[in-house]
Amino acid sequence: MTRQVRASPGAAYELGYHVVWCPKYRRPVLGGPVKARLEELIRVKADEHGWEIVALEVMPDHVHLFVKPHPKNSPSYVANQFKGFTSHHLRAEFAHLRSQLPTLWSRSYFVATVGAVSAETVRRYIETQYERAPQAGGHA
């Protein structure tokens, strides 16, 4: 991956967040049409903000996202923009999500900043999730 420094008035930056979040109770509800619509909604929200999605992987019970936001956007803002927007739309469009879960997403999330050196590593990690055997004790 080539290093790309972005610029805006008064700032030059290269910033990436690896964000992971799960459905409430870690239920495996993110398959089939829900998965396809979730991926579409995440891209819509990123485009709305001008954020670059480097990698996205929706697993049955969690989401991995590597996104490059503007530095004015805090990690919590970025995570909550994706979670709130997608929850609203998915619960409106898929009745079974409303009946199976009190809320779509758990309240928590994981976020880590990703530097230029490890960006390719994170992208590869996200893209190969289905190739890995589950770890003892699980992981987010």
Side-chain angles (χ1 to χ4, degrees), residues 56-89:
L56 169 62
E57 188 65 54
V58 175
M59 308 295 282
D61 65 349
H62 64 283
V63 178
H64 281 275
L65 173 65
F66 177 23
V67 61
K68 290 187 169 187
H70 188 278
K72 70 181 177 184
N73 301 129
S74 70
S76 63
Y77 178 79
V78 171
N80 288 319
Q81 283 291 297
F82 286 117
K83 289 174 66 181
F85 181 74
T86 58
S87 176
H88 174 79
H89 286 279

Side-chain angles (χ1 to χ4, degrees), residues 6-127:
R6 296 172 150 197
S8 66
Y13 59 94
E14 181 183 10
L15 182 64
Y17 297 150
H18 178 198
V19 187
V20 181
W21 69 95
C22 305
K24 189 83 171 172
Y25 312 123
R26 196 133 184 208
R27 295 254 172 87
V29 296
L30 306 177
V34 173
K35 175 182 177 174
R37 183 65 172 137
L38 175 56
E39 290 171 348
E40 180 183 350
L41 290 168
I42 288 171
R43 292 183 193 291
V44 165
K45 182 51 71 173
D47 288 347
E48 178 183 304
H49 286 283
W51 300 337
E52 176 189 354
I53 293 179
V54 177
L56 169 62
E57 188 65 54
V58 175
M59 308 295 282
D61 65 349
H62 64 283
V63 178
H64 281 275
L65 173 65
F66 177 23
V67 61
K68 290 187 169 187
H70 188 278
K72 70 181 177 184
N73 301 129
S74 70
S76 63
Y77 178 79
V78 171
N80 288 319
Q81 283 291 297
F82 286 117
K83 289 174 66 181
F85 181 74
T86 58
S87 176
H88 174 79
H89 286 279
L90 291 174
R91 288 172 59 83
E93 296 172 26
F94 297 95
H96 71 280
L97 294 178
R98 291 191 306 275
S99 65
Q100 288 180 5
L101 298 166
T103 60
L104 178 56
W105 303 121
S106 70
R107 293 177 66 190
S108 63
Y109 59 87
F110 167 84
V111 66
T113 56
V114 179
V117 174
S118 61
E120 178 66 15
T121 302
V122 171
R123 186 190 61 76
R124 279 196 314 266
Y125 172 79
I126 292 171
E127 289 178 352

